[in-house]
């Protein structure tokens, strides 16, 4: 009889500690996952902001034609289905852009235009495997620069 009670207590303790360890491990892994995703999103946003600054300088130095060339060069190097670039007028109409053949449904999802500064949004565009992270920045002359990239690191 004593042996059976001891066995039951051992089983209960083992099960309790196993369950506790599993729950704590799951919690720890979730915290690490959320932290990593947050850091990757911050890095993506920093890269997008740097790209906006670079394109802003290119437009100041080389005008719209130079900016259009840079759009094409950068989108070809990165992959036209992974990234897009647009220069929009004050009302949000495209003035110059990279090849948007892979981004046909982009205009169905208008992003709100910032009055000043920049805005980062994340959209799920149909026919794209990953969500798209888009930064829209208003320039000093009122025009807008927009850069969008497939956000495959957040999945």
């Amino acid at each position: 009889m004593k042996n059976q009670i001891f066995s039951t207590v051992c089983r209960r303790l083992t099960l309790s500690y196993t369950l506790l360890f599993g729950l704590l491990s799951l919690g720890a892994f979730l915290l690490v996952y959320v932290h990593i995703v947050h850091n990757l999103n911050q890095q993506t946003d920093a890269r997008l902001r740097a790209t906006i600054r670079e394109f802003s300088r290119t437009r100041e130095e080389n005008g719209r034609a130079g900016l259009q060339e840079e759009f094409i060069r950068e989108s070809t190097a990165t992959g036209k289905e992974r990234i897009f670039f647009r220069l929009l007028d004050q009302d949000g109409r495209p003035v110059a852009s990279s090849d948007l053949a892979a981004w046909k449904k982009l205009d169905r999802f208008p992003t709100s235009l910032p009055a000043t500064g920049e805005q980062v949004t994340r959209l799920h565009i149909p026919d794209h495997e990953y969500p798209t992270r888009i930064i829209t920045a208003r320039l000093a002359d009122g025009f807008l620069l927009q850069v969008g990239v497939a956000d495959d690191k957040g999945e």
Side-chain angles (χ1 to χ4, degrees), residues 53-63 66-67 70:
R53 285 191 301 272
E54 175 189 340
F55 284 152
S56 180
R57 279 192 302 273
T58 300
R59 182 168 176 252
E60 289 172 6
E61 294 169 3
N62 303 327
L67 184 62
E70 190 67 19

Side-chain angles (χ1 to χ4, degrees), residues 27-57:
F29 288 130
L30 284 174
L31 283 174
V32 169
Y33 173 78
V34 167
H35 181 70
I36 288 171
V37 167
H38 177 72
N39 283 343
L40 287 173
N41 285 337
Q42 284 185 327
Q43 289 175 6
T44 300
D45 292 349
R47 277 196 341 265
L48 290 173
R49 286 183 182 95
T51 302
I52 290 286
R53 285 191 301 272
E54 175 189 340
F55 284 152
S56 180
R57 279 192 302 273

Side-chain angles (χ1 to χ4, degrees), residues 5 14 36 44 46 55-56 64 72 79-81 88 90 100 111 117 119 129 135-136 140 143-144 150:
I5 293 173
T14 302
I36 288 171
T44 300
F55 284 152
S56 180
R64 189 181 302 167
I72 293 169
K80 295 176 184 176
E81 60 283 334
L88 309 171
Q90 293 88 340
L100 298 176
T111 57
Q119 176 181 345
E129 184 178 357
I135 186 169
T136 306
F143 277 73
L144 296 132

Side-chain angles (χ1 to χ4, degrees), residues 113-117 138:
L113 305 175
T116 59
R138 187 160 302 267

Side-chain angles (χ1 to χ4, degrees), residues 16-32:
S16 297
Y17 284 126
T18 302
L19 185 61
L20 181 64
F21 176 76
L23 289 174
L24 290 175
S25 296
L26 179 65
F29 288 130
L30 284 174
L31 283 174
V32 169

Side-chain angles (χ1 to χ4, degrees), residues 2 12 45 54-55 88 94 105 115 132 149:
K2 280 188 171 184
R12 286 182 187 167
D45 292 349
E54 175 189 340
F55 284 152
L88 309 171
K105 296 184 180 177
T132 304
V149 64

